[in-house]
Amino acid sequence: MKAMTFVLFGATGDLAKRKIFPALFNLYVDQKLPASYAIVGVGRRTYTVAEFLRSVEQSVSDAAQRREVDSSCIHAFLSTIRYVSVDVTQKDDYLALLGQVIQCEQEWNLPQNRLFYLSVAPEFFDVIAGHIKASGLCETTGWKRLIIEKPFGRDLQSAEALNEKLCASFAEEEIYRIDHYLGKPMVRNLEAIEFANPIFQAIWNNKYIANVQITANETVGVEDRAGYYDHAGALRDMVQNHMLQLLMMIAMHLPNRINAKEIRKEKRKVMEAVRPMETEDVMRSVVRGQYGAGNLQGHSVVSYRDEPGVEADSMTDTFVALRVWIDDPLWSGVPFYIRTGKRIKEKSTKIIIEFKNPLEGSYRNQQTAPNLLILNINPEEGISLQVNQKNAAERGKLEPVTVDFSTDASQAPEAYELLLSDAIQGDSTYFAHWMEVKLAWKWVTPILEAFAQNQVPLHVYPAGSYGPQESAELLMEQGFSWWQDE
Ligand code: NAD
């Protein structure tokens, strides 16, 4: 691993406190950071280094306790961190940042490998990338990389404009677009399940698979994010990025080689083959919902429109279910169902693959259940397979049983740890390539437009349910139902 300087914009923000510093600390404890490196925190506030380090110490204290490390380990980690106060909109402030980076490189004898992480509001992404270049921070004798958080644009046009601006300072291979779903251990595992197991690879096609159900449900409502969410909605917030990433991961063909270039090429091909939707298709294949008041886990909760900060007549989608077709020979005729919602009965991110059941009627007077491959992503992690067997105690009655291969999720590294470690090593496999982002925006555009023009009904569903009834009806049209909904 190459020595480097990690420059964190937004180092005093929420994401840095909750995720990035704890992830860096865990990597440090696991000796997964380069042997020599420096971290330069950038924030708007005028902190002294000591003040800043106190806040970093607080944010790594839980991780330190869990890892049972002593204070000398924490202090060794903190000793690699510096702080610079920069107003990211002010060109001249970057000279102080450049000075600090050069000082670190000299102090620790580091090569000029620079990793810039933009953990700031999206309106600053292009501004910062431009100033990084103009200030000379990009002129290195080593490598430079840019890690960028979501959201990447709010529609195709703004994403294209942003990308163009970023590309004026960084090449595509240098840009690491975070989709934190790609940091989840089970999502990374999808590729191994599909491609490292000949038994699954052999049946990963439309001859054996009846349908695929991709779910990402949350019990929480809009929380304190109404300012952002009420202008975004579930389609922008979840489907364009995370859900389509899951679709690409599950539907990609076996790459020529298992490496970043080939995997991303196969993912892109999936997005190119996803059948575009015309307005009539949107009306037929997309269900839009918004949560009403209800009862969730024993508590009454208010409707979306009654949440603080939400417009009283808001038409924002807090639930979306979609039926997607992939026009390639492997998947022709297999519906992929996607759904995501807030204030759903249970929190669950999972993919269920339902296999065709040609033997359904082969037992007299008894039906066999279809085989299911269940990939639990969050909060449980693991794989289970539903198969049929005879219950000896019930006079040989056929029953589906589940063979469980769950892993101990508490031992798995956090998404941000895996993603940061990849970016430090220059492995872009689990970051979104621009073509994936662009194709995903392009594909959701007709749906966004249909929502904006209210061409799709907004179904209010009670909080604590599985979403609007129309979501179940979407699957019934092909004779299917969402598995594991009670
Ligand atoms: P935040 O508001 O808590 O922090 C913003 C940071 O930006 C602070 O460090 C602040 O000092 C800095 N900043 C703001 N204006 C500045 C200026 N003019 N000059 C210099 N610094 C300035 O935001 P956050 O929640 O940490 O989110 C950061 C990014 O991560 C956003 O793009 C957000 O969409 C994304 N994100 C956040 C989360 C999360 O859980 N917080 C999750 C996913 C994505």
Side-chain angles (χ1 to χ4, degrees):
M1 228 182 309
K2 299 271 173 51
M4 51 126 210
T5 303
F6 184 101
V7 181
L8 177 58
F9 288 87
T12 55
D14 174 66
L15 188 69
K17 274 199 188 105
R18 287 191 311 107
K19 298 285 183 188
I20 303 173
F21 278 116
L24 285 169
F25 179 71
N26 279 327
L27 290 174
Y28 172 78
V29 173
D30 292 334
Q31 300 186 338
K32 287 184 180 156
L33 290 180
S36 44
Y37 70 91
I39 298 172
V40 178
V42 180
R44 194 173 28 184
R45 283 204 218 160
T46 41
Y47 272 140
T48 63
V49 179
E51 281 168 336
F52 178 65
L53 292 184
R54 265 199 296 281
S55 83
V56 177
E57 187 170 2
Q58 263 171 14
S59 65
V60 303
S61 63
D62 279 355
Q65 234 172 28
R66 219 177 24 253
R67 306 297 304 266
E68 296 177 0
V69 296
D70 60 26
S71 58
S72 65
C73 176
I74 302 175
H75 288 121
F77 172 69
L78 295 178
S79 71
T80 61
I81 303 177
R82 299 287 180 271
Y83 180 76
V84 193
S85 162
V86 169
D87 180 340
V88 294
T89 60
Q90 298 302 311
K91 177 165 132 245
D92 293 346
D93 284 12
Y94 288 76
L95 296 176
L97 176 59
L98 176 63
Q100 180 62 75
V101 169
I102 291 174
Q103 198 183 323
C104 288
E105 288 169 347
Q106 287 170 349
E107 187 177 341
W108 284 296
N109 197 19
L110 303 172
Q112 291 182 332
N113 294 327
R114 296 173 184 167
L115 181 55
F116 303 97
Y117 190 135
L118 309 194
S119 177
V120 292
E123 65 260 33
F124 295 132
F125 292 166
D126 56 345
V127 178
I128 297 177
H131 285 319
I132 287 176
K133 181 167 186 197
S135 64
L137 275 158
C138 269
E139 286 156 28
T140 75
T141 52
W143 50 252
K144 63 181 195 299
R145 294 180 193 138
L146 182 76
I147 306 184
I148 184 161
E149 269 295 337
K150 83 166 200 182
F152 200 92
R154 59 169 278 113
D155 51 27
L156 178 60
Q157 214 185 357
S158 56
E160 279 178 325
L162 171 60
N163 199 56
E164 210 171 289
K165 287 186 179 147
L166 296 183
C167 286
S169 307
F170 291 87
E172 170 62 30
E173 316 80 75
E174 296 173 329
I175 303 175
Y176 290 68
R177 296 176 195 82
I178 287 205
D179 185 308
H180 71 270
Y181 273 53
L182 293 179
K184 292 182 190 287
M186 259 314 283
V187 176
R188 293 164 166 245
N189 202 9
L190 293 177
E191 159 233 308
I193 292 163
E194 292 160 46
F195 304 136
N197 295 298
I199 58 165
F200 288 138
Q201 179 52 206
I203 56 174
W204 216 254
N205 56 54
N206 59 357
K207 186 165 172 211
Y208 296 99
I209 292 178
N211 71 81
V212 178
Q213 305 180 6
I214 307 176
T215 297
N217 282 337
E218 306 178 285
T219 50
V220 293
V222 68
E223 300 177 289
D224 55 2
R225 295 170 69 218
Y228 154 76
Y229 193 86
D230 205 33
H231 300 284
L235 190 66
R236 275 198 179 87
D237 189 48
M238 291 293 293
V239 177
Q240 183 276 336
N241 37 48
H242 312 314
M243 306 302 283
L244 290 180
Q245 282 292 340
L246 294 180
L247 177 80
M248 288 181 241
M249 290 294 290
I250 202 80
M252 70 175 155
H253 294 204
L254 178 65
N256 285 336
R257 302 186 77 113
I258 304 295
N259 62 27
K261 187 167 164 238
E262 295 296 322
I263 288 179
R264 291 164 118 200
K265 187 163 116 193
E266 289 304 328
K267 285 172 66 192
R268 191 187 73 218
K269 284 201 220 157
V270 173
M271 264 331 290
E272 282 167 348
V274 174
R275 191 181 299 167
M277 289 211 196
E278 307 284 339
T279 310
E280 313 84 72
D281 303 316
V282 177
M283 316 235 265
R284 267 200 307 270
S285 304
V286 180
V287 175
R288 175 167 72 143
Q290 188 186 78
Y291 63 83
N295 195 288
L296 213 136
Q297 295 164 347
H299 300 283
S300 303
V301 294
V302 298
S303 72
Y304 177 69
R305 288 182 182 178
D306 285 328
E307 297 274 18
V310 171
E311 308 268 335
D313 55 355
S314 169
M315 295 295 283
T316 298
D317 45 309
T318 64
F319 177 96
V320 196
L322 311 98
R323 180 174 48 226
V324 178
W325 301 98
I326 300 177
D327 288 328
D328 76 16
L330 204 62
W331 297 118
S332 162
V334 180
F336 285 74
Y337 300 106
I338 292 176
R339 67 172 166 175
T340 179
K342 289 194 178 295
R343 286 283 189 230
I344 301 294
K345 185 167 185 180
E346 58 181 357
K347 177 180 168 69
S348 172
T349 303
K350 64 190 167 194
I351 301 176
I352 300 186
I353 297 168
E354 177 178 338
F355 291 93
K356 289 185 174 168
N357 195 10
L359 305 176
E360 196 176 3
S362 57
Y363 277 77
R364 210 152 35 104
N365 305 329
Q366 288 200 65
Q367 281 202 329
T368 59
N371 292 140
L372 301 179
L373 179 65
I374 301 159
L375 306 162
N376 284 312
I377 295 168
N378 190 37
E380 278 91 43
E381 275 175 38
I383 309 164
S384 52
L385 187 63
Q386 178 180 286
V387 296
N388 293 298
Q389 70 164 13
K390 280 185 175 177
N391 183 340
E394 291 279 342
R395 301 198 348 214
K397 186 170 168 252
L398 278 181
E399 277 179 2
V401 291
T402 302
V403 191
D404 211 340
F405 309 98
S406 292
T407 49
D408 182 357
S410 66
Q411 299 304 313
E414 274 260 333
Y416 275 91
E417 242 168 278
L418 293 168
L419 291 166
L420 283 173
S421 171
D422 286 352
I424 290 168
Q425 295 184 62
D427 180 352
S428 55
T429 312
Y430 297 109
F431 292 85
H433 189 279
W434 163 241
M435 283 311 290
E436 294 162 27
V437 176
K438 178 180 171 169
L439 289 163
W441 272 124
K442 197 168 164 200
W443 188 78
V444 299
T445 297
I447 313 174
L448 285 172
E449 285 171 358
F451 282 12
Q453 289 157 21
N454 275 326
Q455 287 167 324
V456 182
L458 181 73
H459 303 286
V460 174
Y461 58 95
S465 67
Y466 281 98
Q469 174 58 20
E470 286 74 7
S471 149
E473 288 165 11
L474 189 68
L475 275 69
M476 271 180 229
E477 287 172 27
Q478 278 80 40
F480 301 128
S481 54
W482 292 107
W483 289 101
Q484 297 190 337
D485 286 5
E486 281 154 26

